[in-house]
């Protein structure tokens, strides 16, 4: 597959149960966990640092995941780490950040270097999380820069798990169609 490729000896590692659409691009030091899915036109580029995508996480159409390299401006650089059952909405941009379990990243949202989203954060469409900001779990964040607006309802908390499960099921159907 030309869309999944090595970079300077760093090979992507993709779990056998993961789904990577044939139009998505995965480069370099990228690990994609079991039942994770990378959808059409997504770019996951681990060329200058590592990217880790956890079990059951989905990266939807047109999203871009990248990293920052180690330099005097950012000692140690910034990897991109998505933990388990994260839902990344269409055209999101995740750059050198860490997103914990059961978060939802809204359509077109941006999360920048060394920002951290704790478990069960819902980030609204178009929101921007500035470098280094830590978002506490259990809340909805909106705006640019992202601001905490309210606690998530029980239904919204339930939806975080539902969204991830839905994409795991949808990926199975796409894999079966492609086979």
């Amino acid at each position: 597959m030309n869309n999944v490729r090595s970079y300077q000896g760093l090979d992507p590692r993709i779990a056998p149960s993961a789904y990577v659409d044939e139009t998505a691009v995965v480069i370099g030091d990228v690990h994609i966990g079991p039942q994770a899915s990378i959808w059409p036109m997504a770019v996951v580029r681990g060329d200058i640092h590592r990217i880790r995508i956890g079990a059951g996480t989905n990266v939807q159409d047109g999203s871009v995941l990248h990293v920052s390299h180690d330099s005097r401006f950012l000692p140690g650089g910034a990897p991109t780490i998505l933990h388990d059952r994260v839902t990344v909405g269409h055209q999101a941009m995740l750059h050198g950040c860490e997103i914990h379990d059961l978060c939802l990243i809204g359509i077109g949202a941006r999360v920048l270097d060394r920002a951290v989203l704790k478990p069960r954060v819902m980030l609204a469409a178009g929101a921007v999380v500035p470098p280094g900001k830590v978002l506490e779990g259990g809340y909805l964040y909106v705006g640019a820069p992202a601001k905490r607006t309210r606690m998530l309802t029980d239904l919204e908390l339930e939806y975080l798990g539902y969204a991830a499960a839905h994409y795991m099921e949808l990926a199975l159907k796409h894999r079966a169609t492609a086979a």
Side-chain angles (χ1 to χ4, degrees), residues 67-117:
V67 292
S68 284
H69 69 282
D70 176 28
S71 71
R72 69 184 179 100
F73 303 103
L74 193 64
T80 294
I81 301 168
L82 280 62
H83 291 269
D84 297 339
R85 298 180 319 280
V86 173
T87 295
V88 179
H90 311 288
Q91 294 186 332
M93 174 79 64
L94 305 180
H95 199 279
C97 58
E98 184 170 8
I99 312 231
H100 286 267
D101 296 351
L102 291 166
C103 287
L104 185 141
I105 309 303
I107 294 169
R110 308 288 187 247
V111 184
L112 303 177
D113 287 351
R114 294 190 176 164
V116 176
L117 278 62

